[in-house]
Amino acid sequence: RLTRVTFPNSVTIIDGGAFSFNRLTRVNFIGDAPIAGGTNVFKGNRALKQLMVSPSAVGWGSSWSGVRVVLAE
């Protein structure tokens, strides 16, 4: 099961449930916010508390698919 994943800026859509029930603890997004094909992209990843996003990326709100968004330093 996955524990970490980094999405490159070429990712533009992620289907709902695509990363459900893994053991994710860290998720990084390099580019702009992708379209979520559902609301539960990360469902069941209890240890995942935040998504790290590039400060130059656009389209992010305070959360994405139910997970808090934090700007990476």
Side-chain angles (χ1 to χ4, degrees):
R1 294 188 181 195
L2 295 173
T3 58
R4 294 179 177 209
V5 64
T6 298
F7 294 98
N9 58 6
S10 59
V11 173
T12 59
I13 188 168
I14 302 174
D15 287 337
F19 292 90
S20 293
F21 300 101
N22 278 283
R23 293 186 179 143
L24 291 170
T25 58
R26 184 169 181 101
V27 174
N28 300 304
F29 284 90
I30 305 300
D32 298 341
I35 296 167
T39 58
N40 296 311
V41 172
F42 301 111
K43 180 180 179 179
N45 289 279
R46 294 183 184 128
L48 182 62
K49 304 297 182 200
Q50 61 190 23
L51 306 175
M52 302 299 291
V53 302
S54 171
S56 62
V58 298
W60 296 99
S62 60
S63 67
W64 189 86
S65 193
V67 182
R68 184 171 77 116
V69 170
V70 175
L71 294 179
E73 296 185 24

